[in-house]
Amino acid sequence: MTTTAVATELVELAHDLARAVSEHDVERLEELLADEFTLQGAAGQLDREAFLEAAAGPYEIDEFTYEQIDPEIYGNTAVLVSRYTQAARLDGRDLSHRMNVTDIWTRRDARWQIVRRHATIAD
């Protein structure tokens, strides 16, 4: 697979991840999230279990958009740096923000999984 094809696949997976959260598709998220997944973001720090629990119901994404995604591939590891905007809530807290997001993905067993996400509110 060419680098361009891998980059395209990773961009599609980033969108798939956001869609799965917005649709509360825990089954799809279980496929996308590595066992050691962690998120550091507007909702605080969440491990895989806490993220799946939030995505199952209390985390509501009304809309999202990626303004830009820049994938860099390093063999079986990839870093996606993006600008992401969402209208969202978690347990009554407004999480509607424009964010700078860094995702780290790894390829295992012939599929990509996200291992780490770090999101900061953009100025």
Side-chain angles (χ1 to χ4, degrees), residues 3-69:
T3 302
T4 302
V6 172
T8 300
E9 178 184 7
L10 287 162
V11 168
E12 289 172 4
L13 287 171
H15 282 89
D16 198 19
L17 178 68
R19 263 192 306 277
V21 173
S22 70
E23 296 171 1
H24 307 289
D25 186 349
V26 174
E27 184 176 317
R28 180 63 178 137
L29 289 170
E30 287 176 342
E31 296 170 358
L32 293 170
L33 303 180
D35 289 342
E36 69 272 28
F37 172 81
T38 59
L39 162 70
Q40 178 67 46
Q45 185 164 337
L46 302 173
D47 62 11
R48 184 180 195 271
E49 183 178 327
F51 185 81
L52 287 170
E53 184 178 307
Y59 189 21
E60 295 287 341
I61 298 177
D62 299 320
E63 60 183 290
F64 71 90
T65 186
Y66 281 97
E67 297 172 30
Q68 173 186 357
I69 301 178

Side-chain angles (χ1 to χ4, degrees), residues 74-93:
Y74 307 97
N76 288 326
T77 302
V79 177
L80 276 66
V81 177
S82 61
R83 180 155 319 238
Y84 170 85
T85 303
Q86 69 179 18
R89 300 165 311 288
L90 176 61
D91 294 327
R93 290 183 298 157

